[in-house]
């Protein structure tokens, strides 16, 4: 009988020690869980603020782009026309100049006559360097050896 009582007391002590150890760890893990939940709430609040800020900034840049776009295209076209005006009209004659605007850029087509092929090359180089033009094609027509068609585009941004 004494062995039973001793083993029962030992068993109760072991379960008690296990229960106390479990409760102690439970409190420690509960505190960590509470800290992590509060951190998560802070992150979620910041995430909402960040999303609102991103939306506000996107709206701002859309408005700025829409407001500044006509001015940028106007400036690009005027730079292009100024480069045309500065060309020597004894070496090149233009019969037609066509400019078509599109979003963020404009396309141009120039037809005319040249005295020497080098004059046409100089004009192309000047457009590329001074106005940022990208020459898409230079065509010297077969009808008249001195006739040309120059196509390209200029970015306005």
């Amino acid at each position: 009988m004494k062995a039973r009582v001793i083993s029962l007391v030992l068993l109760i002590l072991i379960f008690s020690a296990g229960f106390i150890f479990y409760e102690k760890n439970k409190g420690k893990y509960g505190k960590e869980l509470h800290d992590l939940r509060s951190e998560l709430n802070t992150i979620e609040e910041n995430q909402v603020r960040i999303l609102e800020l991103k939306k506000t900034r996107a709206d701002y840049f859309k408005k700025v782009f829409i407001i500044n776009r006509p001015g940028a295209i106007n400036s690009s076209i005027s730079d292009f026309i100024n480069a045309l005006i500065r060309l020597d009209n004894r070496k090149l004659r233009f019969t037609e100049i066509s400019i078509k605007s599109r979003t963020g850029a404009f396309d141009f087509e120039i037809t005319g006559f040249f005295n020497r092929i080098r004059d046409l090359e100089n004009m192309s180089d000047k457009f590329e360097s001074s106005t940022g033009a990208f020459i898409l094609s230079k065509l010297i027509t077969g009808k008249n050896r001195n006739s040309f068609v120059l196509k390209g585009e200029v970015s306005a941004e």
Side-chain angles (χ1 to χ4, degrees):
M1 177 103 170
K2 281 185 173 184
R4 279 186 163 178
V5 171
I6 292 176
S7 62
L8 187 62
V9 169
L10 281 177
L11 191 61
I12 291 174
L13 285 175
I14 290 174
F15 279 127
S16 299
F19 182 74
I20 291 170
F21 178 75
Y22 172 75
E23 287 297 319
K24 193 176 190 183
N25 282 343
K26 182 178 157 187
K28 183 173 78 174
Y29 292 139
K31 184 178 181 302
E32 285 181 24
L33 183 62
H34 176 70
D35 292 344
L36 289 174
R37 281 186 180 156
S38 65
E39 226 176 281
L40 178 65
N41 289 338
T42 306
I43 290 171
E44 287 175 347
E45 289 172 5
N46 289 339
Q47 186 67 24
V48 168
R49 289 184 198 148
I50 289 170
L51 290 175
E52 288 173 2
L53 179 64
K54 282 182 179 180
K55 195 181 290 185
T56 304
R57 288 185 70 183
D59 291 341
Y60 168 76
F61 286 117
K62 283 179 190 176
K63 289 175 185 174
V64 166
F65 177 75
I66 289 170
I67 289 170
N68 291 338
R69 189 175 75 198
I73 290 178
N74 184 24
S75 176
S76 296
I77 290 175
S78 66
D79 290 344
F80 182 75
I81 297 297
N82 282 334
L84 278 174
I85 291 170
R86 290 186 185 133
L87 291 173
D88 188 358
N89 62 357
R90 293 172 291 170
K91 297 178 181 178
L92 294 166
R93 291 182 320 240
F94 303 125
T95 56
E96 185 179 344
I97 299 172
S98 172
I99 296 176
K100 295 177 185 165
S101 178
R102 58 185 169 88
T103 304
F106 67 88
D107 299 324
F108 65 88
E109 183 175 328
I110 301 172
T111 58
F113 299 98
F114 61 91
N115 289 337
R116 293 180 304 165
I117 191 73
R118 185 70 191 142
D119 298 333
L120 185 60
E121 293 296 324
N122 286 341
M123 180 183 74
S124 300
D125 292 343
K126 187 169 186 171
F127 284 153
E128 288 176 344
S129 64
S130 64
T131 66
F134 181 71
I135 305 298
L136 298 174
S137 70
K138 282 184 246 182
L139 178 67
I140 299 174
T141 59
K143 300 174 192 172
N144 186 352
R145 284 190 227 163
N146 291 355
S147 177
F148 70 90
V149 176
L150 183 70
K151 295 180 181 180
E153 68 180 11
V154 177
S155 175
E157 297 175 4

